Amino acid sequence: MFKVIKRLLLLIVILGLASTAVVYGVLSLSLPALDGNGRSNAVVEPVKISRDALGQAVINANSRNDAAYGLGYAHGQDRFFQMDLLRRNAAGELSELFGQAALGLDKKMRFHQLRKRSQIILQTLPEADKQLLKSYAQGVNEGLAQVGYSSFEYLLTGAAQKPWQSEDSLLVIFSMYLDLQSATFERDQALIQIEQAYTKQMVDFLTQPSKYQAALDGSKLALYSGGIPTFPNQTEHIVKSIEANQERGSNNWAVTGALTKTGAVTGALTKTGAGMVSDDMHLSMAVPVIWYRAQLNYMHSGEQTQVTGVSLPGAPAIVVGTNNNVAWGFTNGYLDTADWVVLNDDSKTWQVDEPIALPDGEVENYSLILSEYGPVKYINEKPYALSWAAHQPYAVNMELLKLEQAKTVDDALAVASDVGIPVQNLMVVDSQGSAAWKNMGGIPARKAPSELGVNADDYSALWQQNELQRPFIKNPQNGRLWTGNSRVVSAEDDARFGNGGYALGARSSQIRDRLFEKQAFAESDFYALQLDNQARFLMPWHALLLKQLKADTTKNQQYITALENWQQCACSTSIGYTLVKRYRDEVINILFSSMEDELNKQQGTLKYVKRDLEPAVWQLINNRPDTWINPQFKSWDEQLQGAFSQTITKLTEQFGNNVQNWQWGKVNELVIEHPFAKQMPLLAKLLNMPTAAGFGDSYMPAVQGRSFGASQRFIAQPGHLEHAIMAIPGGQSGHPLSEFYRAGFSDYVEGKHTPLLPQELIHQIVIKPTR
């Protein structure tokens, strides 16, 4: 019997090894060749595509079009499936890959008709831009063809790889509109529903300005003085957890040359006189990470151009980076770029059908109502049309590429108003010591933005025009600039440009205050600020909870001890931080659960308003109005105690009753997964990045959630790039067997200074003209 069992176990091991060998064998067939020679009729002169030890693509070409071809070739080799998902998501075409499971998402995206808009915009672009997009698309398709075998994602879905088209690059830019600006019109919808269910006073109360205001000119919006509205018709029900919309945004800041120095981390530092910029863009993180490291080297007007930074696979531009004359980075602007237009009986509407392809040739039609103002949605059974910057002809173009030729901050500022991307806070510095901020991207020229519905009679034709006159700040007297998705413009300009869902401002305020703690900065100082996880924002909540628990020291001693040793940071070993953060969430859940329940009945949610609530919450806690006591409780003391009880209950359910498992590093563990890992748990170890202890949180410079945070960390002084930094939480290649699949990830989680510039080149492909 023992021999039989031994043989069966041996057979199982052999079969397991054989299965693994088959999997690895199939995967290895789709690995791209990174060395060799080829020919193409898409290039005019030879193009070199080299890679260093991180897999950073270094493109050497004689023209910008040939450089676009080379970048497309590298993207096609390393990231085609990611690119395919971006274009399909924006166009509402995921169902062709994933079937009925993606149909709901596709219908949501078809509401915007972005495939049609991309096709229309493509025809209006200058011929030079059309040719550049064509060169890039040919590079993508030839890089993909060189691989020879479909990647495992296509083998699993059974879908075919469709060739890249020029319009697809515009769809990739549109995908960023969806990621960065959808919360703007979703927030407006929630505010419309709150006004209808309660009052305009309630809207004003919930969206009042906070004390955390960090505008660059120091201006303050007047604090709310309208009193606390009564909260009528609260019903007793299970308290709902109100999800918070992630702050897709970022940090950036800069100092002028009067405040800069540089040098090795432990070596002598010397003054440089160059401006220095820091940029870390906060996005959802998956495998592969969204950005792709690249350097483009090409001739322009008889001069050599070199641009180094990160590109977005699917588009031919360096998004954030430097040409060694200027360096630039972005944060999401959150200006008000969307309005819901209230339709009346005279409003003209019409219906169109959007066919959505499913696998095996099946098609499902999605019916969409359109109007002269935009696509139509019913909110609380009333028709509203969405007028959004992404729907306008100025939404997308190739003007961002002009940054590559900027020699000074002034050159970059001159480009900003014409660039077709979601509106961003451009932070730019130059080698001569200047630093500046300006909003870059599409901004509607209409003069009266609104967070509530706009009457059709008041609709402005200026929606069709891009705003060219926009504020900027260059070389402030204090030498410092900062943004963090909160209001950057003056209080006066705020009335003109509106609030599109600004961050609360705590993060921006902390960055500003840190910048004034020093009089000179090297790259290492900026990196330390990127990693700043001090919990300044939660200190009032810490004090509130500690006072509450000390009312019964015997019952709460272990929690009191954790709070007294919380380290005042989102540190990986802090149990106290977890308690304070979760307690705040539960207080908000209890206070606003009835409102969330009411909005849910109308397919609405407080999700997009939650980050506005901090000032209102503290007014409620300090004033304790009776109508804001949740029906489950008899008093405010009981309500606040209930919030902590619920905190402990949820932590115990999730992580067990051993409080050591409640350390923030475990509760907020960084988990970056491949989209297919959950469907194929056996391959999770092969596909996912290693998990890492949580470090950072919201409302502080070091932003990090379980699969969200700084998608790159960039620091540079033009003219001194030998010390510039670009750290990314993942590798270059989307292929799990690639040597570059995880390259750079460990440096990112360990906070090491990963060089921006390419290191020793270890692979090279040369593509020569067919002729």
Side-chain angles (χ1 to χ4, degrees), residues 233-509:
N233 306 322
Q234 288 205 64
T235 57
E236 188 166 343
H237 60 276
I238 296 174
V239 172
K240 296 194 171 188
S241 293
I242 302 170
E243 183 183 356
N245 184 54
Q246 291 174 323
E247 286 187 11
R248 286 171 170 80
S250 317
N251 302 322
N252 63 21
W253 58 85
V255 295
T256 61
L259 301 176
T260 54
K261 54 187 179 178
T262 194
V265 176
T266 57
L269 299 176
T270 57
K271 282 189 167 293
T272 66
M276 182 161 60
V277 67
S278 172
D279 187 80
D280 53 290
M281 298 182 282
H282 307 153
L283 295 167
S284 297
M285 293 191 283
V287 179
V289 70
I290 188 169
W291 305 115
Y292 185 89
R293 301 170 65 104
Q295 182 183 83
L296 306 182
N297 299 275
Y298 62 92
M299 298 299 294
H300 178 81
S301 299
E303 295 185 8
Q304 182 68 35
T305 296
Q306 182 180 87
V307 191
T308 312
V310 290
S311 59
L312 176 62
I318 297 297
V319 178
V320 164
T322 178
N323 63 7
N324 212 19
N325 294 309
V326 300
W328 66 89
F330 297 116
T331 69
N332 200 22
Y334 281 109
L335 301 183
D336 190 346
T337 57
D339 286 331
W340 288 104
V341 181
V342 185
L343 301 184
N344 54 43
D345 294 339
D346 297 328
S347 300
K348 181 183 177 182
T349 62
W350 61 95
Q351 181 177 307
V352 297
D353 290 331
E354 288 279 325
I356 301 177
L358 293 163
D360 303 321
E362 295 181 59
V363 174
E364 176 155 334
N365 279 323
Y366 166 59
S367 294
L368 174 66
I369 300 173
L370 299 178
S371 74
E372 59 185 306
Y373 314 110
V376 177
K377 179 178 183 179
Y378 279 78
I379 302 175
N380 293 7
E381 301 182 352
K382 296 180 181 179
Y384 290 77
L386 177 61
S387 196
W388 181 25
H391 296 163
Q392 310 308 324
Y394 51 80
V396 171
N397 59 37
M398 292 290 105
E399 294 295 300
L400 180 65
L401 274 68
K402 290 183 178 178
L403 276 182
E404 297 177 4
Q405 304 308 319
K407 296 186 182 299
T408 67
V409 155
D410 289 334
D411 293 339
L413 295 178
V415 171
S417 299
D418 300 322
V419 174
I421 58 173
V423 62
Q424 301 289 294
N425 292 305
L426 167 69
M427 193 69 72
V428 59
V429 299
D430 64 29
S431 59
Q432 300 169 40
S434 288
W437 158 84
K438 189 175 185 179
N439 283 127
M440 172 179 279
I443 302 174
R446 61 87 162 85
K447 306 301 180 186
S450 176
E451 297 175 60
L452 299 172
V454 176
N455 291 325
D457 294 339
D458 297 327
Y459 182 81
S460 172
L462 291 175
W463 260 105
Q464 310 302 314
Q465 299 177 27
N466 184 38
E467 177 62 78
L468 299 179
Q469 302 302 317
R470 43 187 83 184
F472 69 94
I473 295 177
K474 175 187 171 186
N475 294 339
Q477 187 173 1
N478 60 43
R480 299 163 175 86
L481 294 164
W482 60 88
T483 82
N485 312 124
S486 59
R487 177 176 62 88
V488 181
V489 302
S490 67
E492 181 180 357
D493 284 329
D494 179 69
R496 159 65 190 90
F497 293 102
N499 179 353
Y502 282 138
L504 188 67
R507 182 159 39 90
S508 299
S509 297

Side-chain angles (χ1 to χ4, degrees), residues 204-206 208-209 223-229 591 613-625 636:
D204 293 342
F205 175 65
L206 299 184
Q208 59 182 284
L223 298 181
Y224 174 77
S225 60
I228 300 174
L591 286 174
L613 298 178
E614 185 75 4
V617 169
W618 278 104
Q619 275 187 267
L620 294 171
I621 290 172
N622 292 330
N623 291 280
R624 302 191 170 204
W636 265 92

Side-chain angles (χ1 to χ4, degrees), residues 87 152 161 186 216 227 248 258 273 337 390 431 437 503 609 644 690 729 755:
R87 66 173 171 179
F152 77 96
Q161 294 175 328
E186 298 282 8
L216 287 176
R248 286 171 170 80
T337 57
S431 59
W437 158 84
V609 183
F644 187 67

